[in-house]
Amino acid sequence: MTTLIIIVIYLGLLLGLGIFSARFSRGTSEDFFVASHSIGPVLLLMSVFGTTMTAFALVGSTGEAYANGIGVYGKMASWSGLIHSAVFFIIGIKMWSYGRKYGFVTQCQYFRDRFESNAIGYVLFPILIALVIPYLLIGILGAGSVLLGVTKGALPAVFPATGGAIPPWLTGLVICSVVLTYVFLGGMRAAAWANTFQTIVFMIMGCLAFYIISTKLGGLEAATQMAKPERLIRGDHVPQLQFLTYCFVPLSVGMFPHLFQHWLTAKSAKTFRLTVIAHPIFILIVWVPCILIGVWATGAVIDGVRIIPEGARANAVLGIMVGKLAGSPYSGLVTAGILAAIMSSLDSQFMCLGTMFTNDIVFHHFGKDRFSEKQQILLARIFIVFIVLLTYAFTLFEPRRVFTLGVWCFSGFSALFPLVFASVYWKRVTKPGAYACIVTAAAVWFYFFRDSNYGKVPDYLVLGMMPVAVIFLCSTIAIVVVSLLTKVPSQKTITKYFPSSAQEV
Amino acid sequence: MKKIIYGAAIVLAILHQDFWYWDDATLIYGFLPVGLVYHMVYSLLAGLLWAMAVFFAWPSHIEEEAEQSIQEMEKNTAL
């Protein structure tokens, strides 16, 4: 019960933060959508990091480490440390400059202008939304799994079917409602402040969870001694080619709609510097404790009894370890930290959806002047609620492993990376080439995703590689070949985006 | 300096495939698997690499160009 009270207090604090940030709202759509470009370096770092550290990073990494061992750090975390910052550096800063110079708020606005095509936005928009939905889904699934594990036995009379634990459907409903509320109250500014607060909370609580769990297991050495030996190496659990081709997954940050929006909220390009440097370090701080907890869970026993029951789902491992070992009030604090990580991603995604819909569909089709500031914000909110309800409906189906679903989601965005990279660095890329890239990426991604039974197969490979490698290759070939075979962009566009070398292509 | 940084990034990418620790069960400080420690150090090196990139290879020209464009647009609007 103490755990539940702490969680309720934490959620209340978030709502309070939303109400407080709303006082600073200027009431304009620009303030609602991009906080009037007033976010500085620390807030940007916390915001970006909070957005990228999701249920995937906590629930997913722990579960994956439980299932396949330490290799998950190398697969995702260390590759991300190198590649995320590279993408921020080579793509993010350029995107910031285009946003500042030409007033873009969304990716679709940028791509429409870059490729001289209105229709490309209508093609890209549903694909981006479709890929964001799994990203929302892993957050809601992750939260539900954690609370299911942590609150076991808390309310047996109220929830007998789950052994007294808060059922995932209720957790999902509550966190969606809390996030929607503070986002609706304060917009992007509330999301940025909440991200900062929540990033600090989950980093501190992550360290706390690690300390408490290791102590309860008899210390760091004793905990590791309990683990299954095969989880302490990569061995056969991680094929070498799979490990290598995981490098394509972090490229997804180049096309995350909500990160693009974060890049736009920076005061200046200099505000990216801290993010570029600190991101790999912050990833390390969050992932290492989670992975060790997952590995320890494979053999952790207290008084001769296994902590994790045989056959337990990977998603449930973190929640069970925290629930059984942290004890009150720490389990409440740690759970709040986990929820913080999850919600800090959800808020940015919710904001992003609303911005995309209003700008890329409604304003683009009907014209912005047709709607008042209040109507613009209302339209965004309606669409956000629609997508959240749709995603929530998906959570009621058989759940997938958070890590697996997360990788599929990221793979889709990674497959579109050739599009953004070419748009920034290749003058010769054409409109048909861009279409070919988008359609190929979407089609090949869906083909493999369906073949994996929509993420049900956890270690689905294509020719021994991560599917993202093959999809990336296909979309790259499509954009290059089709661009070379089609008419070059107009000189006006080339001059606009490549001013220092404005020559005939 | 930029070329050194780009080269370092490529070397770091190559070093990611640490096949020499693949089946090594050595524990560092008695609890950290060596395969995990290697990649923790890798993450620290990535941070160092990007710190060098920020201090020695920051694309200042992008910022200057953007600010110049904004000033010109504001001037045109005022006129």
Side-chain angles (χ1 to χ4, degrees):
Chain A
M1 185 56 83
T2 312
T3 300
L4 268 175
I5 292 169
I6 292 171
I7 292 167
V8 169
I9 291 171
Y10 174 73
L11 295 175
L13 280 172
L14 274 180
L15 287 172
L17 193 68
I19 294 166
F20 181 68
S21 73
R23 286 182 171 191
F24 296 90
S25 168
R26 296 167 199 177
T28 62
S29 61
E30 190 187 10
D31 192 61
F32 183 80
F33 292 124
V34 293
S36 303
H37 301 277
S38 64
I39 289 176
V42 174
L43 227 59
L44 180 69
L45 168 64
M46 295 301 192
S47 197
V48 169
F49 185 70
T51 302
T52 52
M53 291 298 110
T54 62
F56 177 78
L58 299 181
V59 175
S61 68
T62 307
E64 184 67 11
Y66 176 80
N68 288 315
I70 60 161
V72 61
Y73 188 88
K75 282 196 287 193
M76 278 306 307
S78 61
W79 266 136
S80 295
L82 181 68
I83 294 169
H84 280 181
S85 291
V87 174
F88 296 155
F89 201 84
I90 64 176
I91 301 290
I93 299 167
K94 288 289 267 184
M95 284 303 147
W96 167 83
S97 74
Y98 296 148
R100 290 294 277 159
K101 281 196 285 189
Y102 308 123
F104 304 131
V105 175
T106 69
Q107 281 165 300
C108 289
Q109 286 178 343
Y110 163 69
F111 285 119
R112 275 176 165 142
D113 191 75
R114 177 65 180 86
F115 292 113
E116 303 165 325
S117 168
N118 275 329
I120 202 169
Y122 294 121
V123 172
L124 197 53
F125 176 82
I127 291 169
L128 293 173
I129 296 295
L131 288 172
V132 168
I133 288 175
Y135 201 47
L136 296 176
L137 196 53
I138 61 176
I140 302 170
L141 284 175
S145 296
V146 166
L147 245 66
L148 188 68
V150 168
T151 58
K152 205 84 172 173
L155 299 164
V158 182
F159 304 113
T162 55
I166 305 291
W169 66 264
L170 182 57
T171 303
L173 197 61
V174 169
I175 61 158
C176 284
S177 303
V178 168
V179 176
L180 278 172
T181 302
Y182 72 72
V183 159
F184 281 5
L185 284 173
M188 181 58 100
R189 190 187 306 282
W193 285 21
N195 275 355
T196 300
F197 171 63
Q198 294 189 105
T199 300
I200 293 167
V201 167
F202 83 66
M203 285 176 78
I204 293 171
M205 293 308 155
C207 293
L208 181 66
F210 181 71
Y211 171 74
I212 292 170
I213 288 172
S214 62
T215 304
K216 279 285 173 68
L217 292 176
L220 296 168
E221 290 184 31
T224 302
Q225 290 302 325
M226 282 190 212
K228 286 184 181 173
E230 61 268 28
R231 297 292 189 269
L232 303 177
I233 59 171
R234 276 154 289 178
D236 295 333
H237 279 280
V238 184
Q240 294 240 11
L241 191 53
Q242 182 198 43
F243 191 76
L244 175 65
T245 52
Y246 253 96
C247 69
F248 290 96
V249 178
L251 292 172
S252 51
V253 295
M255 281 297 287
F256 274 164
H258 55 285
L259 276 182
F260 186 90
Q261 210 168 319
H262 274 301
W263 288 331
L264 289 172
T265 59
K267 271 183 188 166
S268 77
K270 285 186 182 55
T271 54
F272 289 114
R273 293 183 180 191
L274 188 58
T275 300
V276 167
I277 297 169
H279 196 72
I281 316 299
F282 276 33
I283 290 177
L284 185 155
I285 291 170
V286 172
W287 280 66
V288 168
C290 291
I291 285 166
L292 284 174
I293 290 170
V295 166
W296 292 341
T298 59
V301 291
I302 294 283
D303 299 328
V305 178
R306 279 182 59 88
I307 305 285
I308 306 294
E310 289 290 347
R313 286 179 181 272
N315 289 352
V317 170
L318 183 63
I320 295 172
M321 289 291 277
V322 169
K324 289 190 178 177
L325 295 177
S328 212
Y330 301 111
S331 64
L333 293 171
V334 170
T335 306
I338 296 167
L339 292 180
I342 291 168
M343 289 191 283
S344 68
S345 301
L346 288 177
D347 55 25
S348 300
Q349 293 161 57
F350 290 177
M351 277 308 306
C352 171
L353 295 174
T355 308
M356 285 167 70
F357 177 69
T358 45
N359 283 280
D360 299 334
I361 304 298
V362 176
F363 295 166
H364 190 76
H365 189 73
F366 296 104
K368 192 173 178 179
D369 295 336
R370 191 161 163 178
F371 303 96
S372 68
E373 297 279 357
K374 276 192 178 169
Q375 285 173 326
Q376 292 171 25
I377 295 170
L378 178 63
L379 284 167
R381 287 171 174 169
I382 290 170
F383 185 73
I384 291 169
V385 170
F386 168 69
I387 294 296
V388 171
L389 285 175
L390 182 64
T391 307
Y392 182 75
F394 281 128
T395 67
L396 303 176
F397 288 95
E398 186 188 342
R400 299 292 189 257
R401 218 191 269 186
V402 164
F403 187 84
T404 307
L405 201 57
V407 171
W408 274 110
C409 164
F410 303 150
S411 296
F413 287 115
S414 295
L416 292 169
F417 183 82
L419 178 72
V420 67
F421 186 82
S423 74
V424 173
Y425 291 104
W426 192 29
K427 283 186 277 187
R428 186 64 178 79
V429 64
T430 66
K431 176 167 66 180
Y435 277 110
C437 181
I438 295 167
V439 170
T440 303
V444 179
W445 179 88
F446 184 73
Y447 174 81
F448 289 134
F449 186 53
R450 198 172 77 150
D451 197 48
S452 77
N453 197 357
Y454 304 101
K456 196 166 181 183
V457 177
D459 290 311
Y460 180 84
L461 297 176
V462 179
L463 302 172
M465 295 185 284
M466 289 297 293
V468 62
V470 176
I471 307 167
F472 184 93
L473 182 66
C474 290
S475 62
T476 302
I477 290 170
I479 197 169
V480 169
V481 169
V482 176
S483 291
L484 290 173
L485 292 174
T486 49
K487 191 180 160 198
V488 300
S490 68
Q491 191 55 45
K492 184 183 168 193
T493 293
I494 293 172
T495 306
K496 185 173 180 179
Y497 288 97
F498 300 92
S500 58
S501 56
Q503 296 167 9
E504 291 289 338
V505 173
Chain B
M1 193 61 186
K2 274 187 191 176
K3 286 184 181 167
I4 293 172
I5 289 166
Y6 295 153
I10 292 167
V11 168
L12 208 54
I14 293 167
L15 288 175
H16 187 271
Q17 197 75 8
D18 61 319
F19 53 88
W20 49 90
Y21 284 136
W22 212 258
D23 299 307
D24 193 334
T26 305
L27 295 177
I28 309 297
Y29 301 124
F31 75 98
L32 282 170
V34 68
L36 181 61
V37 172
Y38 178 88
H39 282 276
M40 289 167 65
V41 171
Y42 188 96
S43 294
L44 294 172
L45 288 176
L48 182 64
L49 170 72
W50 293 117
M52 286 173 54
V54 163
F55 289 116
F56 299 113
W58 186 256
S60 309
H61 63 282
I62 295 176
E63 291 179 89
E64 287 159 11
E65 193 198 344
E67 293 308 324
Q68 209 173 0
S69 287
I70 292 165
Q71 281 168 12
E72 275 172 23
M73 280 192 285
E74 284 169 354
K75 209 190 318 182
N76 290 337
T77 309
L79 289 172

